[in-house]
Coordinates of all heavy atoms in Angstrom, one line a residue:
M210 N 21.8 -35.6 4.2 CA 20.9 -34.6 3.8 C 19.6 -34.6 4.7 O 19.3 -35.7 5.2 CB 20.4 -34.9 2.4 CG 21.5 -34.8 1.3 SD 22.2 -33.2 1.1 CE 21.0 -32.5 -0.2
Q211 N 19.1 -33.5 4.9 CA 17.9 -33.3 5.8 C 16.7 -33.2 5.0 O 16.5 -32.3 4.2 CB 18.2 -32.0 6.6 CG 16.9 -31.4 7.3 CD 16.8 -31.9 8.7 OE1 17.8 -31.8 9.5 NE2 15.6 -32.4 9.0
P212 N 15.7 -34.2 5.2 CA 14.5 -34.1 4.4 C 13.6 -33.0 5.0 O 13.5 -32.8 6.2 CB 13.9 -35.5 4.6 CG 14.6 -36.1 5.7 CD 15.8 -35.4 6.0
L213 N 12.9 -32.2 4.1 CA 12.0 -31.2 4.5 C 10.5 -31.6 4.3 O 9.7 -31.4 5.2 CB 12.2 -29.9 3.6 CG 13.6 -29.2 3.8 CD1 13.6 -28.0 2.9 CD2 13.9 -28.8 5.2
C214 N 10.2 -32.2 3.1 CA 8.9 -32.6 2.9 C 8.9 -33.3 1.5 O 9.9 -33.4 0.9 CB 7.9 -31.4 2.8 SG 8.1 -30.4 1.3
L215 N 7.8 -33.9 1.1 CA 7.7 -34.4 -0.2 C 7.7 -33.3 -1.2 O 7.1 -32.2 -1.0 CB 6.3 -35.1 -0.4 CG 6.2 -36.5 0.2 CD1 4.8 -37.0 0.1 CD2 7.2 -37.5 -0.5
A216 N 8.6 -33.4 -2.2 CA 8.7 -32.3 -3.2 C 7.3 -32.0 -3.8 O 7.0 -30.9 -4.2 CB 9.7 -32.7 -4.3
S217 N 6.5 -33.0 -4.0 CA 5.2 -32.9 -4.6 C 4.2 -32.0 -3.7 O 3.2 -31.6 -4.2 CB 4.5 -34.2 -4.9 OG 4.4 -34.9 -3.7
E218 N 4.6 -31.8 -2.5 CA 3.7 -31.0 -1.6 C 3.8 -29.5 -2.0 O 2.9 -28.7 -1.6 CB 4.1 -31.1 -0.1 CG 3.7 -32.4 0.5 CD 4.2 -32.4 2.0 OE1 4.0 -31.5 2.7 OE2 4.8 -33.5 2.3
I219 N 4.9 -29.1 -2.7 CA 5.0 -27.7 -3.2 C 4.5 -27.7 -4.6 O 5.2 -28.2 -5.5 CB 6.4 -27.2 -3.0 CG1 6.9 -27.4 -1.6 CG2 6.6 -25.8 -3.4 CD1 8.4 -27.4 -1.4
T220 N 3.3 -27.2 -4.8 CA 2.8 -27.2 -6.2 C 3.1 -25.9 -6.9 O 3.7 -25.0 -6.3 CB 1.2 -27.4 -6.1 OG1 0.7 -26.4 -5.2 CG2 0.9 -28.8 -5.5
E221 N 2.8 -25.9 -8.2 CA 3.2 -24.8 -9.1 C 2.7 -23.4 -8.5 O 1.6 -23.3 -8.0 CB 2.5 -25.0 -10.4 CG 2.9 -24.0 -11.5 CD 4.3 -23.9 -11.8 OE1 5.0 -25.0 -11.7 OE2 4.8 -22.9 -12.3
Q222 N 3.7 -22.5 -8.4 CA 3.5 -21.1 -7.9 C 3.0 -21.1 -6.4 O 2.3 -20.2 -6.0 CB 2.5 -20.4 -8.8 CG 3.1 -20.1 -10.2 CD 2.2 -19.1 -11.0 OE1 1.0 -19.3 -11.1 NE2 2.9 -18.1 -11.6
Q223 N 3.5 -22.1 -5.7 CA 3.2 -22.2 -4.3 C 4.5 -22.1 -3.5 O 5.6 -22.5 -4.1 CB 2.4 -23.4 -3.9 CG 1.1 -23.6 -4.5 CD 0.1 -22.4 -4.1 OE1 0.1 -22.0 -2.9 NE2 -0.6 -21.9 -5.0
S224 N 4.4 -21.7 -2.3 CA 5.7 -21.6 -1.5 C 5.4 -22.3 -0.1 O 4.2 -22.4 0.3 CB 6.1 -20.1 -1.3 OG 5.0 -19.4 -0.7
K225 N 6.5 -22.7 0.5 CA 6.3 -23.4 1.8 C 7.5 -23.1 2.7 O 8.7 -23.1 2.2 CB 6.2 -24.9 1.5 CG 5.8 -25.7 2.7 CD 5.4 -27.1 2.3 CE 5.1 -28.1 3.4 NZ 4.0 -27.7 4.2
G226 N 7.2 -22.7 3.9 CA 8.3 -22.4 4.9 C 8.7 -23.5 5.8 O 7.8 -24.4 6.1
F227 N 9.9 -23.6 6.3 CA 10.4 -24.6 7.2 C 11.2 -24.0 8.2 O 11.9 -23.0 8.0 CB 11.2 -25.6 6.4 CG 10.5 -26.2 5.3 CD1 10.6 -25.7 4.0 CD2 9.7 -27.4 5.4 CE1 10.0 -26.2 2.9 CE2 9.1 -27.9 4.3 CZ 9.2 -27.3 3.1
E228 N 11.2 -24.6 9.4 CA 12.2 -24.1 10.4 C 12.9 -25.3 10.9 O 12.4 -26.3 11.4 CB 11.4 -23.5 11.6 CG 12.4 -23.0 12.7 CD 12.2 -21.6 13.1 OE1 11.4 -20.9 12.5 OE2 12.7 -21.3 14.2
I229 N 14.3 -25.3 10.7 CA 15.1 -26.5 11.0 C 16.1 -26.0 12.0 O 17.0 -25.2 11.6 CB 15.8 -27.0 9.7 CG1 14.9 -27.2 8.6 CG2 16.6 -28.3 10.0 CD1 13.9 -28.4 8.7
D230 N 16.0 -26.4 13.2 CA 16.9 -26.0 14.3 C 17.1 -24.5 14.3 O 18.3 -24.0 14.4 CB 18.3 -26.7 14.1 CG 18.2 -28.2 14.2 OD1 17.3 -28.7 14.9 OD2 19.0 -28.9 13.6
G231 N 16.0 -23.8 14.2 CA 16.1 -22.3 14.3 C 16.5 -21.6 13.0 O 16.5 -20.4 12.9
R232 N 16.7 -22.4 12.0 CA 17.1 -21.9 10.6 C 15.8 -21.8 9.8 O 15.2 -22.8 9.5 CB 18.1 -22.8 10.0 CG 18.6 -22.4 8.6 CD 19.5 -23.5 8.1 NE 20.0 -23.2 6.8 CZ 20.6 -24.1 5.9 NH1 20.6 -25.3 6.3 NH2 21.0 -23.7 4.8
G233 N 15.5 -20.6 9.3 CA 14.3 -20.5 8.5 C 14.7 -20.6 7.0 O 15.7 -20.1 6.5
I234 N 13.9 -21.4 6.3 CA 14.1 -21.8 4.9 C 12.8 -21.8 4.2 O 11.8 -22.0 4.9 CB 14.8 -23.2 4.8 CG1 16.2 -23.2 5.4 CG2 14.8 -23.8 3.4 CD1 16.8 -24.5 5.6
F235 N 12.7 -21.5 2.9 CA 11.5 -21.7 2.2 C 11.8 -22.2 0.8 O 12.9 -22.0 0.3 CB 10.6 -20.4 2.2 CG 11.2 -19.3 1.3 CD1 10.7 -19.1 0.1 CD2 12.2 -18.5 1.8 CE1 11.1 -18.1 -0.7 CE2 12.7 -17.4 1.0 CZ 12.2 -17.2 -0.3
A236 N 10.8 -22.8 0.3 CA 10.9 -23.4 -1.1 C 9.7 -22.9 -1.9 O 8.6 -22.6 -1.4 CB 10.8 -24.9 -1.0
V237 N 10.0 -22.7 -3.2 CA 9.0 -22.2 -4.2 C 9.1 -23.1 -5.4 O 10.2 -23.5 -5.8 CB 9.3 -20.7 -4.6 CG1 8.2 -20.2 -5.5 CG2 9.5 -19.8 -3.4
R238 N 7.9 -23.3 -6.1 CA 8.0 -24.0 -7.3 C 7.5 -23.0 -8.4 O 6.4 -22.4 -8.3 CB 7.1 -25.2 -7.3 CG 7.3 -26.1 -8.6 CD 6.3 -27.2 -8.6 NE 6.6 -28.3 -7.6 CZ 7.5 -29.3 -7.8 NH1 8.2 -29.3 -8.9 NH2 7.7 -30.2 -6.8
K239 N 8.2 -22.9 -9.5 CA 7.8 -22.1 -10.7 C 8.3 -22.8 -11.9 O 9.4 -23.2 -12.0 CB 8.4 -20.7 -10.6 CG 7.9 -19.8 -11.7 CD 8.5 -18.4 -11.7 CE 7.9 -17.6 -12.8 NZ 8.6 -16.4 -13.0
N240 N 7.4 -22.9 -12.9 CA 7.6 -23.6 -14.2 C 8.2 -25.0 -13.9 O 9.1 -25.5 -14.5 CB 8.6 -22.8 -15.0 CG 8.0 -21.5 -15.5 OD1 6.8 -21.4 -15.6 ND2 8.8 -20.5 -15.7
D241 N 7.6 -25.6 -12.8 CA 8.0 -27.0 -12.4 C 9.4 -27.1 -11.9 O 9.9 -28.2 -11.8 CB 7.7 -28.0 -13.5 CG 7.3 -29.4 -12.9 OD1 6.8 -29.4 -11.8 OD2 7.6 -30.4 -13.6
Q242 N 10.0 -26.0 -11.6 CA 11.4 -26.0 -11.0 C 11.2 -25.6 -9.5 O 10.4 -24.7 -9.2 CB 12.3 -25.0 -11.6 CG 12.7 -25.3 -13.0 CD 13.7 -26.5 -13.0 OE1 14.6 -26.6 -12.2 NE2 13.4 -27.5 -13.9
L243 N 12.0 -26.3 -8.6 CA 12.0 -25.9 -7.2 C 13.1 -25.0 -7.0 O 14.2 -25.1 -7.6 CB 12.1 -27.2 -6.3 CG 10.9 -28.0 -6.1 CD1 11.3 -29.3 -5.4 CD2 9.9 -27.2 -5.2
Y244 N 12.9 -24.0 -6.1 CA 13.9 -23.1 -5.6 C 13.9 -23.0 -4.1 O 12.8 -23.0 -3.6 CB 13.7 -21.7 -6.2 CG 13.7 -21.7 -7.7 CD1 12.5 -21.8 -8.4 CD2 14.9 -21.6 -8.5 CE1 12.4 -21.9 -9.8 CE2 14.8 -21.7 -9.9 CZ 13.6 -21.8 -10.5 OH 13.6 -21.8 -11.9
V245 N 15.0 -23.0 -3.5 CA 15.0 -23.0 -2.0 C 16.0 -21.9 -1.6 O 17.1 -21.7 -2.1 CB 15.5 -24.4 -1.4 CG1 15.4 -24.3 0.1 CG2 14.7 -25.5 -2.0
Y246 N 15.5 -21.1 -0.6 CA 16.3 -19.9 -0.1 C 16.2 -19.9 1.4 O 15.3 -20.4 2.0 CB 15.7 -18.6 -0.7 CG 15.8 -18.4 -2.1 CD1 14.7 -18.7 -2.9 CD2 17.0 -18.1 -2.8 CE1 14.8 -18.5 -4.3 CE2 17.1 -17.9 -4.1 CZ 16.0 -18.2 -4.9 OH 16.0 -18.0 -6.3
E247 N 17.2 -19.2 2.0 CA 17.1 -18.9 3.4 C 16.0 -17.9 3.6 O 15.8 -16.9 2.7 CB 18.4 -18.2 3.9 CG 19.7 -19.0 3.7 CD 19.9 -20.1 4.8 OE1 19.1 -20.1 5.8 OE2 20.7 -21.0 4.6
N248 N 15.2 -18.0 4.6 CA 14.1 -17.1 4.9 C 14.6 -15.9 5.6 O 14.4 -15.7 6.8 CB 13.0 -17.8 5.7 CG 11.8 -16.9 5.9 OD1 11.7 -15.8 5.4 ND2 10.9 -17.4 6.7
R249 N 15.3 -15.0 4.9 CA 15.9 -13.9 5.5 C 16.0 -12.7 4.5 O 16.7 -12.9 3.5 CB 17.3 -14.2 6.1 CG 18.0 -13.3 7.0 CD 19.2 -13.8 7.6 NE 20.2 -14.3 6.7 CZ 20.7 -15.5 6.6 NH1 20.3 -16.4 7.4 NH2 21.5 -15.8 5.6
C250 N 15.3 -11.7 4.7 CA 15.4 -10.5 3.8 C 16.8 -9.9 3.9 O 17.2 -9.5 5.0 CB 14.3 -9.5 4.1 SG 14.3 -8.1 3.0
P251 N 17.4 -9.6 2.8 CA 18.7 -8.9 2.8 C 18.6 -7.5 3.3 O 19.7 -6.9 3.7 CB 19.2 -9.0 1.4 CG 18.1 -9.4 0.5 CD 17.1 -10.0 1.4
H252 N 17.4 -6.9 3.4 CA 17.3 -5.5 3.9 C 17.5 -5.5 5.4 O 18.4 -4.8 5.9 CB 15.9 -5.0 3.5 CG 15.7 -3.6 4.0 ND1 14.5 -3.1 4.4 CD2 16.6 -2.5 4.0 CE1 14.6 -1.8 4.7 NE2 15.9 -1.4 4.5
R253 N 16.7 -6.2 6.2 CA 16.8 -6.1 7.6 C 17.1 -7.4 8.3 O 17.1 -7.5 9.5 CB 15.5 -5.5 8.2 CG 15.3 -4.0 7.9 CD 16.1 -3.1 8.9 NE 16.2 -1.8 8.4 CZ 15.2 -0.9 8.6 NH1 14.1 -1.2 9.2 NH2 15.4 0.4 8.2
G254 N 17.2 -8.5 7.5 CA 17.5 -9.8 8.1 C 16.3 -10.5 8.7 O 16.5 -11.4 9.5
V255 N 15.1 -10.0 8.4 CA 13.9 -10.6 9.0 C 13.3 -11.7 8.1 O 13.6 -11.7 6.9 CB 12.9 -9.5 9.3 CG1 13.5 -8.5 10.3 CG2 12.4 -8.8 8.0
P256 N 12.4 -12.5 8.6 CA 11.7 -13.5 7.8 C 10.8 -12.7 6.8 O 10.4 -11.6 7.0 CB 10.9 -14.3 8.8 CG 11.5 -14.1 10.1 CD 12.1 -12.7 10.1
L257 N 10.6 -13.4 5.7 CA 10.0 -12.7 4.5 C 8.4 -12.9 4.5 O 7.8 -12.0 3.9 CB 10.5 -13.3 3.2 CG 12.0 -13.0 2.9 CD1 12.6 -14.1 2.1 CD2 12.1 -11.7 2.2
E258 N 7.9 -13.9 5.0 CA 6.5 -14.3 4.7 C 5.5 -13.4 5.3 O 5.6 -12.8 6.4 CB 6.2 -15.7 5.0 CG 6.1 -16.1 6.5 CD 7.4 -16.6 7.0 OE1 8.5 -15.9 6.8 OE2 7.4 -17.6 7.7
W259 N 4.4 -13.3 4.6 CA 3.2 -12.5 5.0 C 2.4 -13.3 6.1 O 1.9 -12.8 7.1 CB 2.3 -12.2 3.8 CG 2.9 -11.4 2.8 CD1 3.8 -11.8 1.8 CD2 2.8 -10.0 2.6 NE1 4.2 -10.8 1.0 CE2 3.6 -9.6 1.5 CE3 2.1 -9.0 3.2 CZ2 3.7 -8.3 1.0 CZ3 2.2 -7.7 2.8 CH2 3.0 -7.4 1.7
M260 N 2.2 -14.5 5.8 CA 1.5 -15.5 6.6 C 2.2 -16.8 6.4 O 3.0 -16.9 5.5 CB 0.0 -15.6 6.2 CG -0.8 -14.4 6.4 SD -2.5 -14.6 6.0 CE -2.4 -14.9 4.3
P261 N 2.0 -17.8 7.3 CA 2.6 -19.1 7.1 C 2.5 -19.5 5.6 O 1.5 -19.5 5.0 CB 1.9 -20.0 8.0 CG 1.4 -19.1 9.1 CD 1.1 -17.8 8.4
D262 N 3.7 -19.9 5.0 CA 3.7 -20.5 3.7 C 3.3 -19.5 2.6 O 2.9 -19.9 1.5 CB 2.9 -21.8 3.5 CG 3.4 -22.8 4.5 OD1 4.6 -22.9 4.8 OD2 2.6 -23.6 5.0
T263 N 3.4 -18.2 2.9 CA 2.9 -17.2 1.9 C 4.1 -16.2 1.7 O 4.3 -15.2 2.4 CB 1.7 -16.4 2.4 OG1 0.7 -17.3 2.7 CG2 1.2 -15.4 1.4
F264 N 4.9 -16.6 0.6 CA 6.1 -15.8 0.3 C 6.0 -15.0 -1.0 O 6.9 -14.3 -1.3 CB 7.3 -16.8 0.2 CG 7.7 -17.4 1.5 CD1 7.0 -18.5 2.0 CD2 8.7 -16.9 2.3 CE1 7.4 -19.1 3.2 CE2 9.1 -17.4 3.5 CZ 8.4 -18.5 4.0
L265 N 4.9 -15.3 -1.7 CA 4.9 -14.7 -3.1 C 3.9 -13.5 -3.1 O 3.1 -13.3 -2.2 CB 4.3 -15.7 -4.1 CG 5.2 -17.0 -4.2 CD1 4.6 -17.9 -5.2 CD2 6.7 -16.6 -4.6
D266 N 4.1 -12.6 -4.1 CA 3.2 -11.5 -4.2 C 1.9 -12.0 -4.7 O 1.7 -13.2 -5.1 CB 3.8 -10.5 -5.2 CG 3.9 -11.0 -6.6 OD1 3.9 -12.2 -6.8 OD2 3.9 -10.1 -7.5
P267 N 0.8 -11.1 -4.7 CA -0.5 -11.6 -5.1 C -0.6 -12.2 -6.5 O -1.4 -13.1 -6.7 CB -1.4 -10.3 -5.0 CG -0.6 -9.4 -4.0 CD 0.8 -9.7 -4.2
E268 N 0.2 -11.7 -7.4 CA 0.2 -12.3 -8.8 C 1.1 -13.5 -8.9 O 1.2 -14.1 -9.9 CB 0.7 -11.2 -9.8 CG -0.3 -10.1 -10.0 CD -0.3 -9.1 -8.9 OE1 0.8 -8.8 -8.3 OE2 -1.3 -8.6 -8.5
K269 N 1.8 -13.9 -7.8 CA 2.7 -15.0 -7.8 C 3.8 -15.0 -8.8 O 4.2 -16.0 -9.3 CB 1.9 -16.3 -7.9 CG 0.9 -16.5 -6.8 CD 0.1 -17.8 -6.8 CE -1.0 -17.9 -5.8 NZ -0.5 -17.9 -4.4
Q270 N 4.3 -13.8 -9.1 CA 5.4 -13.6 -10.0 C 6.7 -13.4 -9.3 O 7.7 -13.6 -9.9 CB 5.1 -12.3 -10.9 CG 3.9 -12.5 -11.8 CD 4.0 -13.7 -12.7 OE1 4.9 -13.9 -13.4 NE2 3.0 -14.5 -12.6
F271 N 6.6 -12.9 -8.1 CA 7.9 -12.6 -7.4 C 7.7 -13.1 -5.9 O 6.6 -13.2 -5.4 CB 8.1 -11.1 -7.3 CG 8.4 -10.5 -8.7 CD1 7.4 -9.9 -9.4 CD2 9.6 -10.6 -9.3 CE1 7.6 -9.3 -10.7 CE2 9.9 -10.1 -10.5 CZ 8.8 -9.4 -11.2
I272 N 8.9 -13.3 -5.3 CA 8.9 -13.4 -3.8 C 8.8 -12.0 -3.3 O 9.5 -11.1 -3.8 CB 10.2 -14.1 -3.4 CG1 10.3 -15.5 -4.0 CG2 10.4 -14.1 -1.9 CD1 11.7 -16.1 -4.1
Q273 N 8.0 -11.8 -2.3 CA 7.8 -10.4 -1.7 C 8.0 -10.4 -0.2 O 7.5 -11.2 0.5 CB 6.4 -9.9 -2.0 CG 6.3 -8.4 -1.7 CD 5.0 -7.8 -2.2 OE1 4.0 -8.5 -2.5 NE2 5.1 -6.5 -2.5
C274 N 8.8 -9.5 0.3 CA 9.1 -9.3 1.7 C 7.9 -8.6 2.3 O 7.4 -7.6 1.8 CB 10.3 -8.5 2.0 SG 10.6 -8.3 3.7
A275 N 7.3 -9.2 3.4 CA 6.2 -8.6 4.0 C 6.5 -7.3 4.8 O 5.6 -6.5 5.0 CB 5.6 -9.6 5.0
T276 N 7.7 -7.1 5.1 CA 8.0 -5.9 6.0 C 8.0 -4.6 5.2 O 7.3 -3.7 5.5 CB 9.4 -6.1 6.7 OG1 9.3 -7.3 7.4 CG2 9.7 -5.0 7.6
H277 N 8.8 -4.5 4.1 CA 8.8 -3.3 3.3 C 8.5 -3.5 1.8 O 8.7 -2.7 1.0 CB 10.2 -2.6 3.4 CG 10.6 -2.3 4.8 ND1 11.6 -2.9 5.5 CD2 10.0 -1.4 5.7 CE1 11.7 -2.4 6.7 NE2 10.8 -1.5 6.9
G278 N 8.1 -4.7 1.5 CA 7.6 -5.0 0.1 C 8.6 -5.2 -0.9 O 8.3 -5.2 -2.1
A279 N 9.9 -5.5 -0.6 CA 10.9 -5.8 -1.6 C 10.4 -7.0 -2.5 O 9.8 -7.9 -1.9 CB 12.2 -6.1 -1.0
L280 N 10.7 -6.9 -3.8 CA 10.4 -8.0 -4.7 C 11.7 -8.7 -5.1 O 12.6 -8.0 -5.5 CB 9.6 -7.4 -5.9 CG 8.3 -6.8 -5.6 CD1 7.8 -6.2 -6.9 CD2 7.3 -7.9 -5.1
F281 N 11.6 -10.0 -5.2 CA 12.8 -10.8 -5.6 C 12.3 -11.8 -6.7 O 11.2 -12.4 -6.6 CB 13.3 -11.7 -4.4 CG 13.6 -10.9 -3.2 CD1 12.7 -10.5 -2.2 CD2 14.9 -10.5 -3.0 CE1 13.0 -9.8 -1.1 CE2 15.3 -9.7 -1.8 CZ 14.3 -9.4 -0.9
T282 N 13.2 -12.0 -7.7 CA 12.8 -13.0 -8.7 C 12.8 -14.4 -8.1 O 13.6 -14.7 -7.2 CB 13.8 -12.9 -9.9 OG1 15.1 -13.2 -9.3 CG2 13.9 -11.6 -10.5
I283 N 11.9 -15.2 -8.5 CA 11.8 -16.5 -8.0 C 13.0 -17.4 -8.4 O 13.5 -18.1 -7.6 CB 10.4 -17.2 -8.4 CG1 9.3 -16.4 -7.8 CG2 10.4 -18.7 -8.0 CD1 7.9 -16.9 -8.3
D284 N 13.4 -17.2 -9.6 CA 14.5 -18.2 -10.1 C 15.9 -17.8 -9.7 O 16.7 -18.7 -9.6 CB 14.4 -18.3 -11.6 CG 14.6 -17.0 -12.4 OD1 14.6 -15.9 -11.7 OD2 14.7 -17.1 -13.6
A285 N 16.1 -16.6 -9.3 CA 17.5 -16.2 -8.9 C 17.5 -15.5 -7.5 O 18.6 -15.3 -7.0 CB 18.1 -15.2 -9.9
G286 N 16.4 -15.2 -7.0 CA 16.4 -14.5 -5.7 C 16.9 -13.1 -5.7 O 17.2 -12.5 -4.7
L287 N 17.0 -12.5 -6.9 CA 17.5 -11.2 -7.0 C 16.4 -10.1 -6.7 O 15.3 -10.2 -7.3 CB 18.0 -11.0 -8.5 CG 18.5 -9.6 -8.8 CD1 19.8 -9.2 -8.1 CD2 18.7 -9.4 -10.3
C288 N 16.8 -9.2 -5.9 CA 15.8 -8.1 -5.6 C 15.8 -7.1 -6.7 O 16.8 -6.5 -7.1 CB 16.3 -7.4 -4.3 SG 15.1 -6.1 -3.8
I289 N 14.6 -6.9 -7.2 CA 14.4 -6.0 -8.4 C 13.6 -4.7 -8.0 O 13.5 -3.8 -8.9 CB 13.8 -6.7 -9.6 CG1 12.6 -7.5 -9.2 CG2 14.9 -7.6 -10.2 CD1 11.3 -6.8 -9.5
A290 N 13.1 -4.6 -6.8 CA 12.4 -3.4 -6.4 C 12.4 -3.4 -4.8 O 12.3 -4.5 -4.2 CB 11.0 -3.4 -6.9
G291 N 12.5 -2.2 -4.3 CA 12.4 -2.1 -2.8 C 13.8 -1.6 -2.3 O 14.7 -1.3 -3.0
P292 N 13.8 -1.5 -0.9 CA 15.0 -0.9 -0.3 C 16.3 -1.7 -0.4 O 17.4 -1.1 -0.2 CB 14.6 -0.8 1.2 CG 13.5 -1.8 1.4 CD 12.8 -1.9 0.0
C293 N 16.2 -3.0 -0.8 CA 17.5 -3.7 -1.0 C 17.7 -4.1 -2.5 O 18.3 -5.1 -2.8 CB 17.5 -5.0 -0.1 SG 15.9 -5.9 -0.1
N294 N 17.2 -3.3 -3.4 CA 17.3 -3.5 -4.8 C 18.8 -3.8 -5.2 O 19.7 -3.1 -4.7 CB 16.9 -2.1 -5.5 CG 16.5 -2.4 -6.9 OD1 16.8 -3.4 -7.5 ND2 15.9 -1.4 -7.5
G295 N 18.9 -4.9 -5.9 CA 20.3 -5.3 -6.4 C 20.9 -6.3 -5.5 O 21.9 -6.9 -5.9
T296 N 20.4 -6.6 -4.3 CA 20.9 -7.6 -3.5 C 20.1 -8.9 -3.8 O 19.2 -8.9 -4.6 CB 20.8 -7.3 -2.0 OG1 19.4 -7.1 -1.6 CG2 21.5 -6.0 -1.7
S297 N 20.5 -10.0 -3.1 CA 19.9 -11.3 -3.4 C 19.6 -12.1 -2.1 O 20.3 -12.0 -1.1 CB 20.8 -12.1 -4.3 OG 21.0 -11.6 -5.5
L298 N 18.6 -12.9 -2.2 CA 18.3 -13.9 -1.2 C 19.5 -14.9 -1.3 O 20.1 -15.2 -2.3 CB 17.0 -14.6 -1.5 CG 15.8 -13.7 -1.4 CD1 14.5 -14.5 -1.9 CD2 15.6 -13.1 -0.1
E299 N 19.7 -15.6 -0.2 CA 20.7 -16.6 -0.1 C 20.2 -18.0 -0.5 O 19.3 -18.5 0.1 CB 21.3 -16.7 1.3 CG 22.6 -17.5 1.3 CD 23.3 -17.4 2.7 OE1 23.1 -16.4 3.4 OE2 23.9 -18.4 3.0
P300 N 20.7 -18.5 -1.6 CA 20.1 -19.8 -2.1 C 20.6 -21.0 -1.1 O 21.7 -20.9 -0.5 CB 20.7 -20.0 -3.5 CG 21.9 -19.1 -3.6 CD 21.7 -18.0 -2.5
V301 N 19.8 -22.0 -1.0 CA 20.1 -23.2 -0.2 C 20.2 -24.3 -1.2 O 19.3 -24.6 -2.0 CB 19.0 -23.4 0.8 CG1 19.2 -24.8 1.5 CG2 18.9 -22.3 1.8
S302 N 21.3 -25.1 -1.2 CA 21.4 -26.2 -2.1 C 20.6 -27.3 -1.6 O 20.4 -27.6 -0.4 CB 22.9 -26.6 -2.3 OG 23.5 -26.8 -1.1
F303 N 20.0 -28.0 -2.6 CA 19.0 -29.1 -2.2 C 19.1 -30.2 -3.3 O 19.6 -30.0 -4.4 CB 17.6 -28.5 -2.1 CG 17.0 -28.0 -3.4 CD1 16.3 -28.9 -4.2 CD2 17.3 -26.7 -3.9 CE1 15.8 -28.4 -5.4 CE2 16.8 -26.3 -5.1 CZ 16.0 -27.2 -5.9
E304 N 18.5 -31.3 -2.9 CA 18.3 -32.4 -3.9 C 16.9 -33.0 -3.6 O 16.4 -32.9 -2.5 CB 19.3 -33.5 -3.6 CG 20.7 -33.2 -4.2 CD 21.6 -34.4 -3.9 OE1 21.3 -35.5 -4.3 OE2 22.6 -34.2 -3.3
V305 N 16.4 -33.6 -4.6 CA 15.2 -34.4 -4.4 C 15.6 -35.8 -4.4 O 16.1 -36.3 -5.4 CB 14.1 -34.1 -5.5 CG1 12.9 -35.0 -5.3 CG2 13.7 -32.6 -5.4
I306 N 15.4 -36.5 -3.3 CA 15.9 -37.9 -3.1 C 14.6 -38.7 -2.8 O 14.0 -38.5 -1.8 CB 16.9 -38.0 -2.0 CG1 18.1 -37.1 -2.3 CG2 17.3 -39.5 -1.8 CD1 19.1 -37.0 -1.1
D307 N 14.4 -39.7 -3.7 CA 13.2 -40.5 -3.5 C 11.9 -39.7 -3.3 O 11.1 -40.0 -2.4 CB 13.4 -41.5 -2.4 CG 14.4 -42.6 -2.7 OD1 14.7 -42.8 -3.9 OD2 15.0 -43.1 -1.7
G308 N 11.8 -38.6 -4.0 CA 10.6 -37.8 -3.9 C 10.6 -36.8 -2.8 O 9.7 -36.0 -2.6
Q309 N 11.6 -36.9 -1.9 CA 11.7 -36.0 -0.7 C 12.6 -34.8 -1.1 O 13.8 -35.0 -1.6 CB 12.3 -36.7 0.5 CG 11.5 -37.8 1.0 CD 10.6 -37.3 2.1 OE1 10.7 -36.2 2.6 NE2 9.7 -38.2 2.5
L310 N 12.2 -33.6 -0.7 CA 13.0 -32.4 -0.9 C 14.0 -32.4 0.3 O 13.6 -32.4 1.5 CB 12.2 -31.1 -0.9 CG 12.9 -29.8 -0.8 CD1 13.8 -29.6 -2.0 CD2 11.9 -28.7 -0.8
C311 N 15.3 -32.4 0.0 CA 16.3 -32.5 1.1 C 17.3 -31.4 1.0 O 17.7 -31.1 -0.2 CB 17.1 -33.9 1.0 SG 16.0 -35.3 1.1
I312 N 17.8 -30.9 2.1 CA 18.8 -29.9 2.1 C 20.1 -30.4 2.8 O 19.9 -31.3 3.7 CB 18.4 -28.5 2.7 CG1 17.9 -28.8 4.2 CG2 17.3 -27.9 1.9 CD1 17.8 -27.5 5.0
A313 N 21.2 -29.8 2.5 CA 22.4 -30.2 3.3 C 22.3 -29.5 4.7 O 21.8 -28.4 4.8 CB 23.6 -29.7 2.6
P314 N 22.7 -30.2 5.7 CA 22.6 -29.6 7.1 C 23.6 -28.4 7.1 O 24.6 -28.4 6.4 CB 23.1 -30.7 8.0 CG 23.3 -32.0 7.2 CD 23.2 -31.6 5.7
N315 N 23.2 -27.5 8.0 CA 24.0 -26.2 8.0 C 25.3 -26.5 8.7 O 25.4 -27.2 9.7 CB 23.2 -25.2 8.8 CG 23.5 -23.8 8.3 OD1 24.2 -23.6 7.3 ND2 22.8 -22.8 8.9
Ligands
LIG615 S1 13.0 -6.0 5.7 FE1 12.5 -6.9 3.7 S2 12.2 -5.1 2.5 FE2 12.8 -4.3 4.5

């Protein structure tokens, strides 16, 4: 498993991006659950964030793509508004090991 950071570094309703060997990934915490997705919008295949580590909408209710504003649910990565409505972000399987957020190598 590839460690990304301490799981505690991602606080409630915060997001954090990572680049691992050219692979973009981000993690979000909501209701004390962590979610990890590939950083790739299903609309155009581009990275999602507005600014570094900024993947959520202003209300922090959804993941929002900076390019055309698509909204994705945090817990399932499902697009519920925007040009790719009905598609989903690709989830990344992860584990927290000794407090470290770790993903399986690609
Ligand atoms: S590239 Fe994300 S909504 Fe168009």
